[in-house]
Amino acid sequence: MSDIHDKDKQLYTISDLLEWKPPHYTRIISSGVLNVGNRMIIFGDEGSWKSILAVHTGHCIARGSRWLGFNTYPSNVLRLQVELPMYIDRERHEKYCDGSRQIFLAKDERTDMPTAEFDKLANEAITYAYPDNYITRTEQFIHIDESIGWESLLRNIRLLTSYFPDAPLVVILDPLYKMFNRDINEETDVKPLLDKVDLIMEEVRNIGVSFIIVHHTRKSKTDESGIPIAMGSQDATGSRAWMRWADTILRIDPDPGDKSMTKVTATFTKHRNADRVLPTIRLRWDRETLHPQIMQSIFPKQEDEGETELRGESGLAQLE
């Protein structure tokens, strides 16, 4: 390292920078969707399955399984949800985890195997479906933009980064509006919380902390005919500071023509660190397992044309 860096560890010459070795673990969701030390917002209207997507996201990250067609790298998860009573959250997780077990077993196409092999597979399915590094917390009242609420969350983060020191931590907050006590539309009220989040990411950067925030849409604007106008990330509720702060933003829209209310479209409206073009993904949620099936991924090649990837028949083995 240079004399400059020796005198001030914050300063790097180009040679210093190239000699510096980044952490071995820098990715959580592939293609730059979520990196270590990044911030992601998932937002959508009521009925868009975004809270179930938050559960699915946490489990995929915890076990290192595919997420909406992307690879994930096993990381620890802390999920704080403040919308549902704990008994309903438990019921959802019970159904989701049993669905994970069924899907894991369905992906093994062997129809006849010795008892010892079947027992081993069954145990692997349990480990897969019930990851020990997925930690959840349910509260009916907590404001993380106030000192007491933030300190409480901070204790959780510090505990888990010390308890699981060998992999990054992903903190999922669901939903934002229930955790924010001040004016969510005012940047002067929003920015202190964003600064606190950034500070804790800096504090434990040797391990790595990333945040996923579940958010809602604002009342949509319409054209002269009364048809809603899609405005991408600007349709999220609150100050634009949220959108500028996030590295990745995923918008979830329910299919208005779907009477089953299980089909949604997931659109990346912001992808600051993406290393390739990200698709628009059409999903169908399975009510029995609470897992999604990718029905279609649309990869745009140019503004006026796209490339479509279609998936096969329905079934447990096709669910993530």
Side-chain angles (χ1 to χ4, degrees), residues 52-239:
I52 298 297
L53 176 59
V55 170
H56 181 62
T57 302
H59 277 261
C60 289
I61 290 171
R63 62 194 177 211
S65 62
R66 297 275 284 178
W67 175 84
L68 305 190
F70 296 91
N71 292 325
T72 67
Y73 304 87
S75 303
N76 306 306
V77 174
L78 168 63
R79 169 180 168 267
L80 171 62
Q81 80 86 17
V82 297
E83 194 164 43
L84 300 174
M86 185 176 286
Y87 76 90
I88 295 180
D89 196 42
R90 180 188 180 279
E91 290 170 358
R92 285 185 172 184
H93 276 82
E94 185 175 33
K95 180 180 283 191
Y96 179 88
C97 291
D98 188 57
S100 294
R101 183 187 60 81
Q102 294 179 53
I103 292 164
F104 184 91
L105 294 173
K107 291 182 184 295
D108 192 306
E109 298 180 349
R110 291 175 292 175
T111 56
D112 187 19
M113 66 180 75
T115 300
E117 286 190 31
F118 179 80
D119 289 344
K120 180 182 178 183
L121 180 65
N123 288 331
E124 290 173 351
I126 294 297
T127 301
Y128 176 87
Y130 302 88
D132 290 336
N133 59 334
Y134 176 95
I135 310 299
T136 187
R137 173 183 174 183
T138 295
E139 296 288 346
Q140 290 296 292
F141 185 87
I142 183 173
H143 292 144
I144 61 172
D145 60 326
E146 304 288 357
S147 296
I148 294 176
W150 174 253
E151 289 298 324
S152 177
L153 176 60
L154 194 57
R155 284 193 297 272
N156 296 160
I157 294 172
R158 287 171 173 161
L159 171 63
L160 293 182
T161 52
S162 63
Y163 193 82
F164 297 114
D166 297 326
L169 176 69
V170 177
V171 180
I172 300 175
L173 305 176
D174 180 21
L176 176 63
Y177 85 94
K178 284 274 288 179
M179 302 181 193
F180 201 84
N181 189 42
R182 301 178 189 180
D183 191 341
I184 204 168
N185 298 296
E186 290 295 329
E187 183 166 345
T188 52
D189 287 341
V190 168
K191 197 168 183 304
L193 176 61
L194 304 185
D195 290 342
K196 287 179 180 179
V197 171
D198 289 343
L199 284 171
I200 189 59
M201 290 195 295
E202 178 67 19
E203 177 185 318
V204 292
R205 64 176 176 173
N206 58 315
I207 295 174
V209 176
S210 301
F211 279 77
I212 298 176
I213 294 176
V214 181
H215 199 20
H216 287 73
T217 55
R218 69 172 81 243
K219 184 177 179 180
S220 61
K221 296 183 179 180
T222 59
D223 61 18
E224 295 178 354
S225 304
I227 299 174
I229 302 171
M231 299 181 66
S233 302
Q234 295 184 50
D235 284 328
T237 300
S239 166

Side-chain angles (χ1 to χ4, degrees), residues 195-294:
D195 290 342
K196 287 179 180 179
V197 171
D198 289 343
L199 284 171
I200 189 59
M201 290 195 295
E202 178 67 19
E203 177 185 318
V204 292
R205 64 176 176 173
N206 58 315
I207 295 174
V209 176
S210 301
F211 279 77
I212 298 176
I213 294 176
V214 181
H215 199 20
H216 287 73
T217 55
R218 69 172 81 243
K219 184 177 179 180
S220 61
K221 296 183 179 180
T222 59
D223 61 18
E224 295 178 354
S225 304
I227 299 174
I229 302 171
M231 299 181 66
S233 302
Q234 295 184 50
D235 284 328
T237 300
S239 166
R240 290 287 296 152
W242 296 106
M243 305 302 112
R244 293 194 300 269
W245 174 77
D247 298 288
T248 300
I249 301 174
L250 182 63
R251 173 177 177 151
I252 311 297
D253 292 296
D255 183 343
D258 173 35
K259 293 183 180 180
S260 72
M261 301 176 67
T262 59
K263 296 179 181 178
V264 302
T265 299
T267 307
F268 291 96
T269 59
K270 183 177 181 181
H271 35 81
R272 177 182 290 157
N273 298 316
D275 54 25
R276 65 178 176 87
V277 175
L278 301 180
T280 296
I281 307 164
R282 291 177 182 160
L283 306 170
R284 179 172 62 197
W285 288 92
D286 183 89
R287 291 188 180 275
E288 296 303 314
T289 65
L290 299 184
H291 284 65
Q293 180 183 0
I294 299 175

